[in-house]
Amino acid sequence: MAAPAVVTEPSTGENVSESANGPTESFTDVQKRPQFGTRFLTDPRQVFQHNAWDNVEWSAEQEATAQKKVQENSQPLPAEKQEEFDSRANEYWNDFYTIHENRFFKDRHWLFTEFPELAPQQKASQDTREEGTTDNEPKNLLNGEHVTSPHSESTFPGASSSYRILEVGCGVGNTVFPILKTNNDPGLFVYCCDFSSTAVDLVKSNPEYDQARCHAFVHDMSELSAEYPMPDQSLDVIVLIFVLSALHPQKMQNAINRLAQLLKPGGVLLMRDYGRYDMAQLRFKKGRCLSENFYVRGDGTRVYFFTQDELHDLFTSAGLEKVQNMVDRRLQVNRGKQLTMYRVWVQCKYRKALAPT
């Protein structure tokens, strides 16, 4: 359920989609890219020298203009119309991936720079379990086999793996496939799911998809009765990239609560999504507002725009502890057309507390 809008990638300023269909860069190249917040515009005359500038301060006038623009489109659609978008959400997302099947850009340059938890060296630094197994799992089994755990009394994909990553809202695999390509840790297993069955089918049909290292499945994270294929406290990392914003705001807390249960003690949730007054929010016209800061696009898919405080409340209410919660105000530049565009993203890392010793 990754965001469908063509947006600008954080590290490059290139126009790319938030739903990509595979990696094109080596891990070494990705490592060389700077983290957010390292390129500052100190001289306005230099604005068109780069594609993007970090942490651009907004003037009081600019902030007031953004607030006014949002208020102008704050009248929500009738309840029956909102119910239609909610009940047909799956249909709209399947239509989106059907239409855009072969139109996804391929690079997500910033992934390993901002989220080193997904990179190969992270496993070695934080996992001290011997022979690539956890204390409660059987040894001497091939990675990715469906095995029976004597403690959970259940069979699940990746049960013998020592480092498990889940991406929720995987789209066509723009996060999953870079991980599989660059992280050759034999103990790694990656789960990925999406609300759209069409998106999951596209992931499974990708030549990079490897059932021995990855398990893709259809899942609605807002549906509490829908079960995940792994047991509670089995995941090291959960990834949410431009996906939480697609949920109805009233369903977000329960969805995060459920994901927190899947994390091991010490496991981390990584999130990046739209921030309040992002260019995409300011472009919505009247008749597209569902509720405060929640909108429907022309294709029927929905999007919410967050503040840092809202996300902090969501994650801490689920029992997670803050590692990072930052807003990235970026000035994106189209040097060919001499245009400037303001983007606002929020990036978070929240960790599940270690069990008391």
Side-chain angles (χ1 to χ4, degrees), residues 32-75:
K32 295 177 181 178
R33 297 189 177 275
Q35 280 192 300
F36 301 145
T38 58
R39 179 176 286 169
F40 303 103
L41 179 62
T42 56
D43 183 352
R45 295 173 298 180
Q46 309 277 328
V47 65
F48 292 109
Q49 286 198 0
H50 296 287
N51 288 333
W53 301 93
D54 295 318
N55 294 331
V56 176
E57 293 292 333
W58 284 25
S59 66
E61 180 181 3
Q62 185 178 2
E63 187 89 18
T65 300
Q67 292 177 355
K68 181 180 178 182
K69 178 67 175 177
V70 170
Q71 290 171 358
E72 289 175 352
N73 183 22
S74 61
Q75 295 300 316

Side-chain angles (χ1 to χ4, degrees), residues 252-254 256-258 260 309-321 350:
M252 291 179 184
Q253 186 65 69
N254 285 336
I256 296 299
N257 291 348
R258 182 67 190 96
D309 289 343
E310 286 174 337
L311 290 168
H312 182 73
D313 289 344
L314 279 173
F315 296 134
T316 55
S317 295
L320 304 178
E321 301 174 345
Y350 279 75

Side-chain angles (χ1 to χ4, degrees), residues 4-288:
V6 174
V7 303
T8 309
E9 279 284 11
S11 296
T12 65
E14 302 167 20
N15 287 332
V16 295
S17 168
E18 284 303 340
S19 296
N21 198 17
T24 59
E25 284 195 317
S26 69
F27 179 62
T28 301
D29 291 336
V30 174
Q31 281 184 308
K32 295 177 181 178
R33 297 189 177 275
Q35 280 192 300
F36 301 145
T38 58
R39 179 176 286 169
F40 303 103
L41 179 62
T42 56
D43 183 352
R45 295 173 298 180
Q46 309 277 328
V47 65
F48 292 109
Q49 286 198 0
H50 296 287
N51 288 333
W53 301 93
D54 295 318
N55 294 331
V56 176
E57 293 292 333
W58 284 25
S59 66
E61 180 181 3
Q62 185 178 2
E63 187 89 18
T65 300
Q67 292 177 355
K68 181 180 178 182
K69 178 67 175 177
V70 170
Q71 290 171 358
E72 289 175 352
N73 183 22
S74 61
Q75 295 300 316
L77 292 172
E80 60 272 16
K81 193 65 177 176
Q82 295 200 39
E83 174 59 31
E84 176 187 346
F85 288 118
D86 193 61
S87 62
R88 297 179 61 191
N90 182 271
E91 175 186 338
Y92 288 128
W93 279 108
N94 280 332
D95 287 347
F96 166 75
Y97 285 111
T98 299
I99 294 170
H100 298 282
E101 175 179 353
N102 296 313
R103 296 177 58 192
F104 295 105
F105 293 84
K106 296 182 182 298
D107 290 335
R108 180 165 270 170
H109 301 298
W110 51 272
L111 185 64
F112 298 103
T113 304
E114 294 302 318
F115 297 144
E117 294 84 356
L118 305 176
Q121 71 270 24
Q122 179 67 18
K123 164 66 168 59
S125 65
Q126 78 171 41
D127 191 353
T128 59
R129 294 181 284 271
E130 72 173 27
E131 298 184 23
T133 63
T134 64
D135 292 337
N136 295 326
E137 292 168 347
K139 300 181 182 180
N140 301 321
L141 292 172
L142 293 176
N143 179 42
E145 281 190 338
H146 292 213
V147 300
T148 301
S149 167
H151 291 270
S152 64
E153 296 184 352
S154 64
T155 300
F156 67 99
S160 61
S161 302
S162 57
Y163 196 71
R164 303 189 190 95
I165 297 172
L166 165 66
E167 185 190 16
V168 181
C170 62
V172 296
N174 59 327
T175 294
V176 170
F177 292 122
I179 294 173
L180 292 175
K181 185 174 181 178
T182 61
N183 194 334
N184 59 3
D185 176 2
L188 173 72
F189 195 86
V190 181
Y191 307 88
C192 59
C193 64
D194 200 277
F195 186 43
S196 166
S197 59
T198 302
V200 173
D201 288 342
L202 289 170
V203 170
K204 290 183 175 180
S205 66
N206 192 300
E208 300 283 343
Y209 183 71
D210 182 357
Q211 292 186 16
R213 306 180 66 217
C214 183
H215 178 66
F217 58 100
V218 177
H219 188 86
D220 180 359
M221 67 183 295
S222 69
E223 178 54 62
L224 295 183
S225 62
E227 296 187 0
Y228 287 91
M230 74 290 294
D232 290 352
Q233 301 193 65
S234 63
L235 297 176
D236 295 274
V237 181
I238 294 176
V239 184
L240 299 172
I241 298 180
F242 295 97
V243 61
L244 189 61
S245 55
L247 265 64
H248 192 289
Q250 294 179 357
K251 298 181 179 180
M252 291 179 184
Q253 186 65 69
N254 285 336
I256 296 299
N257 291 348
R258 182 67 190 96
L259 289 175
Q261 294 173 356
L262 296 174
L263 282 174
K264 297 177 181 178
V268 65
L269 187 149
L270 311 176
M271 181 263 194
R272 188 164 178 83
D273 219 320
Y274 295 105
R276 189 68 46 84
Y277 306 138
D278 178 66
M279 178 185 71
Q281 182 178 16
L282 302 183
R283 283 183 170 179
F284 277 107
K285 301 184 184 301
K286 293 182 179 180
R288 288 293 169 185

